[in-house]
Amino acid sequence: MSASPKETLPRAPGGAILLDGKAVAARVRAQVAERAAEFAARHGRAPGLAVVQVGEDPASSVYVRNKRKSSVEAGIVSFAHDLPASTPEPEILALVHALNHDERVDGILIQLPLPKGVNADRVMDAVDPAKDVDGFHPLNTGLLAQKRPRLRPCTPYGVIKLAEAYGLALTGLRATVVGASNIVGRPMALELLLARSTVTVCHTGTRDLRAEVERAEVLVAAVGKAGFIPGEWVRPGAAVFDVGINRTASGKLVGDVGFERAAERAAWITPVPGGLGPMTIAMLLSNTVDAASLRAGRRE
Ligand code: NAD
């Protein structure tokens, strides 16, 4: 992992290499299915994942459906909890407590956003950290910050696994994360630090975003605005991980980075869709089997 940026970031002739999240995620899911079957053979039950959705946000419903379908395909038992948007917070908390104590449930996922009026932090904090397969609990974020990761936030973990799958060594590279949310930008910075990159995090307080992006040998965009980072800003030879998922007026899904121009300059780039979306789901399933194994008192 100590190759110089020059060695690790060759220019792809004729354009950037597409980092195929769909293909890599399929491989991760196949490994998860093997581990889930081994777990079931050893413990007499399959790993279980509870997915809680409150309300009917259409984008959330698509994600939740995908997560439930993919878990069943990987041999994970799916427990569906769909609550109406009007559900009072104490009732959501009561469900979380019940799931915490349900021995069949190894992972608990609360689909965000929660309806207005519900304190999302309070709900997420109530999840047993040992079942926190999203990796959002302060304990799991704290463990990642302290270089001893346990259950890792799925999208940032997916970026690392995708880089690994392509032999992209991150050590020593100048990495810039645009976006600093608790679920993507911040844990992404911690993952890159763990991978020994030199990390910069940009956010709404950043003075000269263009200069920061132009320096980046690894660029992770997690802003949530279509084409927010012009492709012209991308450093030649960079690796670009576009986490953004934005729907245009014509209904097309696009990322945060102007893809066409960026792909002419970058050495590696993720497509949207087909990049970090499938990786995120694959890492969720992987975390669920990890959680089941950890709870069973051993890591498989
Ligand atoms: P968020 O709204 O919580 O955070 C956005 C971040 O962008 C903030 O930290 C903010 O400071 C920063 N930002 C906003 N405007 C900026 C500006 N002008 N200059 C610099 N920084 C700016 O969003 P999020 O939950 O982190 O998600 C970001 C994107 O990633 C969204 O498009 C979301 O849909 C997508 N996402 C994708 C996956 C996946 O599976 N691929 C998973 C989670 C989120």
Side-chain angles (χ1 to χ4, degrees):
M1 293 280 286
S2 61
S4 74
K6 223 172 173 178
E7 285 169 278
T8 47
L9 297 178
R11 296 292 295 273
I17 294 169
L18 274 185
L19 295 166
D20 187 347
K22 210 171 156 187
V24 175
R27 293 209 294 273
V28 174
R29 291 208 315 268
Q31 288 161 4
V32 169
E34 274 178 32
R35 292 172 58 221
E38 280 168 25
F39 181 93
R42 191 162 297 143
H43 299 284
R45 67 168 185 89
L49 172 64
V51 179
V52 178
Q53 186 181 5
V54 188
E56 283 163 5
D57 177 71
S60 292
S61 298
V62 174
Y63 295 138
V64 163
R65 241 195 332 271
N66 277 338
K67 287 168 188 174
R68 287 177 181 154
K69 186 168 162 272
S70 312
S71 49
V72 171
E73 282 167 5
I76 292 169
V77 179
S78 170
F79 301 96
H81 293 274
D82 295 316
L83 308 179
S86 58
T87 310
E89 189 179 309
E91 220 172 282
I92 303 172
L93 288 170
L95 172 62
V96 171
H97 289 304
L99 295 172
N100 284 345
H101 291 102
D102 187 335
E103 280 308 312
R104 301 165 305 164
V105 172
D106 298 291
I108 303 170
L109 182 146
I110 316 283
Q111 183 64 40
L112 297 175
L114 287 168
K116 272 201 186 100
V118 176
N119 183 327
D121 283 343
R122 208 149 43 211
V123 174
M124 306 306 279
D125 287 359
V127 173
D128 178 351
K131 297 189 177 189
D132 168 39
V133 285
D134 253 337
F136 293 161
H137 191 282
L139 181 76
N140 286 317
T141 307
L143 287 171
L144 178 60
Q146 291 191 354
K147 299 185 284 188
R148 39 191 188 131
R150 197 172 59 180
L151 293 172
R152 302 158 73 160
C154 302
T155 304
Y157 195 15
V159 168
I160 300 298
K161 286 288 165 191
L162 189 55
E164 263 176 34
Y166 280 84
L168 174 49
L170 298 167
T171 299
L173 298 186
R174 245 185 249 277
T176 299
V177 182
V178 187
S181 71
N182 283 338
I183 65 170
V184 190
R186 273 163 209 262
M188 187 71 248
L190 294 173
E191 283 285 358
L192 288 163
L193 198 53
L194 192 66
R196 308 191 65 239
S197 300
T198 300
V199 185
T200 302
V201 185
C202 301
H203 41 75
T204 45
T206 297
R207 222 172 40 226
D208 187 351
L209 183 64
R210 178 175 186 153
E212 302 297 344
V213 170
E214 282 177 342
R215 258 197 290 278
E217 291 163 326
V218 176
L219 175 67
V220 182
V223 180
K225 293 178 184 165
F228 176 70
I229 299 174
E232 290 74 13
W233 293 8
V234 169
R235 179 187 167 113
V240 178
F241 295 88
D242 194 346
V243 173
I245 301 178
N246 312 289
R247 201 170 282 282
T248 63
S250 60
K252 206 174 150 217
L253 283 184
V254 298
D256 290 345
V257 181
F259 183 83
E260 276 175 24
R261 285 293 288 130
E264 289 167 10
R265 298 168 67 82
W268 287 280
I269 191 165
T270 56
V272 179
L276 276 329
M279 287 304 295
T280 298
I281 293 188
M283 298 330 294
L284 167 72
L285 304 179
S286 175
N287 278 351
T288 303
V289 180
D290 282 349
S293 305
L294 284 166
R295 291 183 64 250
R298 42 183 296 277
R299 194 161 192 122
E300 293 182 340

